[in-house]
């Protein structure tokens, strides 16, 4: 996290066979990658979490307390 910008980077390596040789055919991209996006509104950068499970990356970015809606009770 950099201010409101989320940056995700990594590297996908080429799969190898049982003898440590690289496979000749590949159906997936390999190499380094980087994803950048600017998040809208106020966020809590201290509460950002990321989880990689079964090849799916889930990033959770909570709103700041000031950005959350408030409930105001009206009496009278």
């Amino acid at each position: 996290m950099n201010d409101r910008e989320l940056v995700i980077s990594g590297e996908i390596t080429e799969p190898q066979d049982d003898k440590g040789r690289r496979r000749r055919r590949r159906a997936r991209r390999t190499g380094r990658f980087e994803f950048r996006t600017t998040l809208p509104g106020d966020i809590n950068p201290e509460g950002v979490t990321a989880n990689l499970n079964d090849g799916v990356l889930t990033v959770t970015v909570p709103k700041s307390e000031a950005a959350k809606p408030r409930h105001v009770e009206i009496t009278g």
Side-chain angles (χ1 to χ4, degrees), residues 14-69:
E14 212 172 297
Q16 296 181 351
D17 64 8
D18 295 339
K19 297 177 183 173
R21 295 181 294 192
R22 292 184 178 177
R23 296 180 184 173
R24 291 187 180 261
R25 297 183 203 186
R26 60 180 165 179
R28 299 182 119 183
R29 291 184 355 189
T30 59
R32 296 193 53 75
F33 67 89
E34 182 173 280
F35 172 79
R36 292 176 175 263
T37 187
T38 302
L39 301 172
D42 294 331
I43 60 166
N44 178 7
E46 305 301 321
V48 176
T49 60
N51 183 26
L52 181 63
N53 191 14
D54 293 330
V56 177
L57 177 64
T58 303
V59 179
T60 304
V61 183
K63 289 183 178 181
S64 69
E65 290 299 319
K68 290 184 181 177

